Amino acid sequence: MSALATATTLAAATNENLASISNTLIYSSMAVYTLAFFTHIAEWIFGSRSKVSRTAAALTAGPAGAKAPEVTVKKAGGTAVLERPKVVVRAAAGARDVPDGPGAHGGDAQGDLYGRIAVSLTVVAFLVEFAGVLARALSVQRAPWGNMYEFNITFSTTAVGVYLVFLALKKDIRWLGLPLVTTVLLDLGLAVTVLYTASDQLVPALHSYWLYIHVSTAILCGAVFYVGAVATILYLFKDSYENKLASGGRPGSFATSVMERLPASASLDKFSYRVNAAVFPLWTFTIIAGAIWAGDAWGRYWGWDPKETWAFITWVAYATYLHARATAGWKGRKAAYIALIAFACFLFNYYGVNIFVSGKHSYAGV
C-alpha cells in the first residue's frame, strides 16, 4: 500500500509539474506573439512610405489589359527591380481591372525584412504554444479539449498553424499576419484570465474515441472559418475603397496607404470563398460525428440541445452562403454579409452557448 501511495503521489506531482510547465509555455508564447505583433506593425509602417505602395493606385487607372510598369527600389550596391502586381478582374460585372497590392511591406525592403521577422517570430510562438498544449495534454493524460480554456489554447494554435501552412504552400497571405496575431493574443488573454480551469479528468460522457474525431475536426473547421472571415472583412473594406475610387472619390490618406497594399477585392473574395467551401464538408462531418457520439453517450442521436442546435444553424448559414455565391445577384457584398453572419453563429456556438446557455454540453463548465 505504501508503494502504491508513493507512486500515486509521484504521478500527481508529475502531472502538477506538467500543468505548471504548460502555463509557463502559454505565457511565453504570448510574449513571442507580442513581439510578432510589433514587428508586423513595423512592416505596415515602413510599407506606408514605399514608392510601390504610392503608385499602386495609379496602376489601376490604366486601360484594361495594359501592362503595369515595373518599379525600382534603390538598394545598397545596386538596384532591385520588383515585379509588377498581378492584375485580376473584380467580382462586380463591368468593373475595371484592379491590380493586387504588393503586400503589407509595400515593396519597401526594410518593411519586407520586418515582415519576414514577424513570420519567423510567429513560427517560434506557434511551436512554444503547441508545446504548452502538449504539456497540458500530458498533465491530464487525455486530449486537451475538456473545457473552454483547453479549447481556446488549442483553437488559437490551430488557427496559427493553418496560416503557416498557407505560407508554406507559397500562398501570399502575409496580409493576414497582423489581424491573426492580434486575435490570438486576445484569445489567449481571455483564456488565461477568464476561462482558466485547473487540470482535471473528464466526465464519463467524454470518455470516447469520438472526442478525438469530433472535437479535433470542430477546432480545425473553426480555424479555417476564422481565416475566411478575416478575408471577408478585408474584402468588404477593399471593395468599398475600389468603388469610391471608381466613382471619382478621394479616400483618406490612411485608408489609401492600407488598402492599396492589400490584394484586389476580387482576390480576397475568391480566397474567402475557397477556404469556406473547402472546409464546409468537414463541418458537415463534424456535426454527423457529434450525432453519432451523442447516440453512444446519451442514447439519442439528436435532441436539439443548444450546442447541437447552433451547430446546425451554423451549417445552414454557411450552406446559404455557398448557395448565394452560385446565385446571380447574390455574389459579392451580399454573399459576404451572409458569410460573416455564419461566422458569428459559429462564435456564438463557441462562446455564447458554453457561457450563457445550459444544456447537455455544459458538463465541463467554462
Side-chain angles (χ1 to χ4, degrees):
M1 289 296 294
S2 60
L4 179 61
T6 301
T8 302
T9 302
L10 288 175
T14 300
N15 293 340
E16 185 176 346
N17 288 335
L18 285 171
S20 178
I21 292 173
S22 173
N23 295 340
T24 301
L25 289 171
I26 295 299
Y27 278 106
S28 299
S29 71
M30 292 176 66
V32 183
Y33 279 129
T34 301
L35 293 177
F37 170 80
F38 284 115
T39 47
H40 271 301
I41 291 290
E43 177 187 17
W44 281 93
I45 290 175
F46 283 100
S48 67
R49 69 181 187 178
S50 168
K51 293 181 180 179
V52 174
S53 66
R54 289 200 301 268
T55 57
L59 296 178
T60 67
K67 180 179 179 181
E70 293 180 330
V71 183
T72 60
V73 176
K74 297 292 183 179
K75 296 175 62 177
T79 300
V81 180
L82 301 180
E83 294 182 358
R84 65 189 179 90
K86 180 181 177 181
V87 175
V88 297
V89 180
R90 295 181 66 245
R96 59 183 180 172
D97 293 349
V98 175
D100 280 333
H105 56 81
D108 181 84
Q110 193 169 7
D112 183 60
L113 175 61
Y114 277 111
R116 293 178 184 277
I117 293 174
V119 172
S120 299
L121 289 171
T122 303
V123 172
V124 173
F126 166 78
L127 294 175
V128 174
E129 187 182 8
F130 179 81
V133 173
L134 181 60
R136 176 76 176 199
L138 294 174
S139 72
V140 293
Q141 299 179 4
R142 57 168 172 79
W145 309 321
N147 50 60
M148 283 293 291
Y149 168 74
E150 294 174 355
F151 198 90
N152 262 42
I153 61 175
T154 306
F155 176 79
S156 59
T157 305
T158 306
V160 176
V162 169
Y163 167 69
L164 295 178
V165 167
F166 275 119
L167 290 181
L169 294 175
K170 307 300 181 182
K171 302 298 181 181
D172 187 15
I173 63 164
R174 211 163 77 188
W175 44 265
L176 182 63
L178 181 58
L180 172 70
V181 171
T182 303
T183 307
V184 167
L185 281 171
L186 292 174
D187 180 74
L188 291 177
L190 180 66
V192 300
T193 56
V194 178
L195 301 177
Y196 181 77
T197 304
S199 301
D200 200 359
Q201 294 304 309
L202 297 174
V203 297
L206 291 180
H207 285 288
S208 171
Y209 60 89
W210 283 106
L211 170 68
Y212 298 91
I213 300 173
H214 172 66
V215 181
S216 63
T217 55
I219 292 173
L220 178 59
C221 288
V224 179
F225 283 149
Y226 163 78
V227 171
V230 173
T232 301
I233 293 172
L234 293 179
Y235 156 73
L236 291 172
F237 281 111
K238 187 62 183 281
D239 186 64
S240 296
Y241 173 78
E242 291 176 2
N243 288 336
K244 191 169 185 177
L245 286 178
S247 62
R250 292 180 176 273
S253 59
F254 177 78
T256 300
S257 175
V258 174
M259 291 295 121
E260 68 187 9
R261 284 179 276 163
L262 291 175
S265 62
S267 298
L268 291 168
D269 187 37
K270 183 185 298 184
F271 176 77
S272 63
Y273 168 69
R274 286 180 173 177
V275 296
N276 285 328
V279 80
F280 181 74
L282 186 60
W283 181 249
T284 304
F285 170 78
T286 300
I287 295 176
I288 295 173
I292 296 173
W293 187 11
D296 289 343
W298 302 317
R300 53 83 174 152
Y301 293 101
W302 196 267
W304 296 105
D305 180 76
K307 199 78 169 177
E308 298 168 351
T309 302
W310 277 96
F312 179 68
I313 291 173
T314 302
W315 184 91
V316 171
Y318 274 107
T320 303
Y321 162 71
L322 296 178
H323 179 70
R325 284 278 311 187
T327 303
W330 277 90
K331 293 182 179 180
R333 298 184 69 88
K334 291 181 180 179
Y337 291 135
I338 298 175
L340 293 182
I341 292 172
F343 186 66
C345 291
F346 175 84
L347 287 180
F348 182 78
N349 191 35
Y350 178 31
Y351 287 109
V353 172
N354 286 60
I355 297 174
F356 303 113
V357 183
S358 297
K360 282 186 173 294
H361 286 78
S362 302
Y363 38 65
V366 175

